[in-house]
């Protein structure tokens, strides 16, 4: 494409997929403590604490973070990070990296797709991404829920050991636990207008959190649960309602909202910059050959 700047040339599929996964990992590195705090608040009150964990209670997002740092050390905020990065490379690469291609497929190459096409493309890439990445999310959540306290037994000692143990004790169903709940949560709109993300990320994040929080809490508890604790995700939700009341469905709301808004801003800024950088590098290589 002679005379066109790298920014004018549509990035190929490989660039989109790689930059989406990498940008999502950058966003996870920045926002992971908020995600861990969210998980701890979501599972609080599910079962009675014992041993060294008995006197620990989390209050609010910053109270949870400070309590974790004081009782478990700062590294506890990044429990499950390895699985989290694996999840982003598997999930975001498909969910975001393939979104434009799937959208173009449904519109047969036409510009300005309607809302229905956007939703259909989002559902398609979301379902595909979840089907691939769900085991990484199960392991991530279980590590985030695991307390690193003296005298408290650790459920897993390493990421790969966790995959093996879940498969051995719970089978493939254990690795894909909560998959349908995750599909519900992951459907959202994607635009290519970067300033839009600054303006709307937290507003859209708030609305999304209000709608998705009940499902997200159930998802977290169900994925983290040992075999036999809940018969199904619906049984998990019913147990929450009868034992803790409706407010339990909004546990971890603030860190979930803060994490979602900040994650989207960091992710899409990184995504756009990485795509530009990769296209510029590609054009330099082509210019020298």
């Amino acid at each position: 494409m002679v005379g066109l700047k790298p920014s004018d040339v549509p990035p190929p599929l490989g660039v989109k997929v790689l930059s989406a996964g990498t940008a999502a990992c950058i966003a996870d590195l920045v926002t992971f403590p908020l995600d861990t705090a969210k998980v701890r608040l979501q599972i609080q009150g599910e079962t009675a604490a014992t041993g060294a964990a008995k006197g620990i209670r989390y209050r609010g997002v910053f109270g949870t973070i400070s309590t974790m740092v004081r009782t478990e050390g700062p590294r506890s905020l990044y429990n499950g990070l390895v699985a989290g990065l694996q999840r982003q490379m598997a999930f975001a690469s498909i969910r975001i990296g393939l979104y434009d291609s799937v959208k173009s497929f449904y519109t047969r190459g036409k510009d300005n797709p309607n809302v229905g096409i956007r939703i259909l493309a989002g559902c398609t890439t979301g379902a595909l991404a979840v089907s691939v990445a769900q085991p990484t999310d199960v392991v991530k959540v279980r590590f985030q829920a695991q307390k690193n306290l003296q005298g408290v037994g650790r459920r897993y000692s390493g990421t790969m050991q966790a995959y093996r143990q879940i498969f051995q004790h719970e089978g493939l169903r254990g690795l894909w636990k909560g998959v349908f709940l995750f599909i519900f949560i992951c459907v959202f709109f994607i635009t290519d207008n970067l300033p839009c993300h600054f303006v709307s990320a937290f507003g859209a994040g708030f609305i999304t959190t209000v709608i998705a929080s009940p499902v997200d809490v159930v998802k977290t508890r169900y994925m983290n649960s040992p075999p036999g604790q809940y018969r199904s995700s619906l049984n998990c939700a019913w147990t929450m309602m009868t034992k803790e009341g409706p407010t339990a469905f909004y546990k971890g709301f603030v860190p979930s909202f803060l994490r979602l808004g900040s994650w989207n801003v960091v992710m899409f800024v990184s995504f756009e910059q990485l795509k530009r950088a990769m296209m510029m590098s590609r054009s330099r290589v082509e210019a020298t050959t």
Side-chain angles (χ1 to χ4, degrees):
M1 297 183 181
V2 180
L4 291 178
K5 297 182 294 183
S7 58
D8 297 326
V9 180
L13 180 61
V15 169
K16 289 182 181 179
V17 169
L18 180 59
S19 56
T22 305
C25 287
I26 294 171
D28 244 29
L29 287 169
V30 174
T31 63
F32 206 79
L34 289 171
D35 193 42
T36 303
K38 179 202 76 169
V39 169
R40 291 293 180 95
L41 285 167
Q42 286 179 332
I43 65 172
Q44 183 167 254
E46 182 180 19
T47 57
T50 58
K54 195 171 184 179
I56 297 176
R57 181 165 180 79
Y58 305 117
R59 292 180 175 85
V61 55
F62 299 112
T64 300
I65 290 174
S66 62
T67 299
M68 289 182 64
V69 171
R70 187 180 72 253
T71 58
E72 303 174 54
R75 290 182 62 183
S76 64
L77 298 175
Y78 285 89
N79 282 351
L81 179 62
V82 173
L85 297 180
Q86 291 172 346
R87 174 183 177 272
Q88 294 302 345
M89 287 305 298
F91 179 79
S93 296
I94 297 172
R95 177 68 184 86
I96 300 171
L98 294 182
Y99 175 79
D100 286 335
S101 298
V102 172
K103 184 175 64 177
S104 179
F105 171 78
Y106 285 135
T107 60
R108 298 180 180 178
K110 296 179 182 178
D111 294 328
N112 301 318
N114 58 40
V115 173
I117 293 296
R118 285 174 173 272
I119 293 175
L120 182 59
C123 289
T124 302
T125 56
L128 179 60
V130 170
S131 67
V132 173
Q134 184 65 7
T136 62
D137 198 37
V138 171
V139 172
K140 176 187 77 77
V141 166
R142 293 191 180 189
F143 267 104
Q144 289 175 313
Q146 179 174 273
K147 292 182 172 67
N148 299 326
L149 297 169
Q150 190 172 8
V152 176
R154 299 188 65 183
R155 197 173 182 183
Y156 306 110
S157 58
T159 304
M160 299 312 296
Q161 181 264 340
Y163 287 120
R164 289 194 301 269
Q165 185 170 321
I166 293 171
F167 176 72
Q168 290 169 358
H169 294 173
E170 304 174 48
L172 288 175
R173 292 181 63 182
L175 289 171
W176 268 268
K177 206 169 188 177
V179 63
F180 296 111
L181 295 171
F182 193 13
I183 290 175
F184 174 84
I185 293 171
C186 78
V187 175
F188 60 95
F189 292 98
I190 297 178
T191 67
D192 298 317
N193 187 352
L194 186 56
C196 174
H197 294 294
F198 285 108
V199 175
S200 66
F202 285 94
F206 179 80
I207 295 172
T208 301
T209 307
V210 169
I211 297 171
S213 183
V215 180
D216 190 41
V217 176
V218 174
K219 176 183 77 77
T220 296
R221 291 194 175 193
Y222 187 55
M223 288 196 304
N224 185 55
S225 64
Q229 183 173 352
Y230 302 115
R231 293 190 300 273
S232 65
S233 57
L234 288 176
N235 176 248
C236 178
W238 177 251
T239 302
M240 285 174 57
M241 173 63 78
T242 55
K243 289 188 175 181
E244 302 172 63
T247 58
F249 291 94
Y250 283 92
K251 286 186 173 182
F253 180 89
V254 174
S256 182
F257 158 61
L258 293 175
R259 190 254 179 189
L260 184 59
S262 56
W263 189 94
N264 275 314
V265 169
V266 175
M267 189 278 166
F268 281 103
V269 169
S270 302
F271 185 38
E272 294 298 323
Q273 297 305 313
L274 284 168
K275 281 195 296 184
R276 289 193 184 98
M278 289 182 184
M279 290 301 292
M280 290 180 67
S281 296
R282 185 186 180 196
S283 64
R284 290 194 190 101
V285 171
E286 290 176 348
T288 59
T289 57

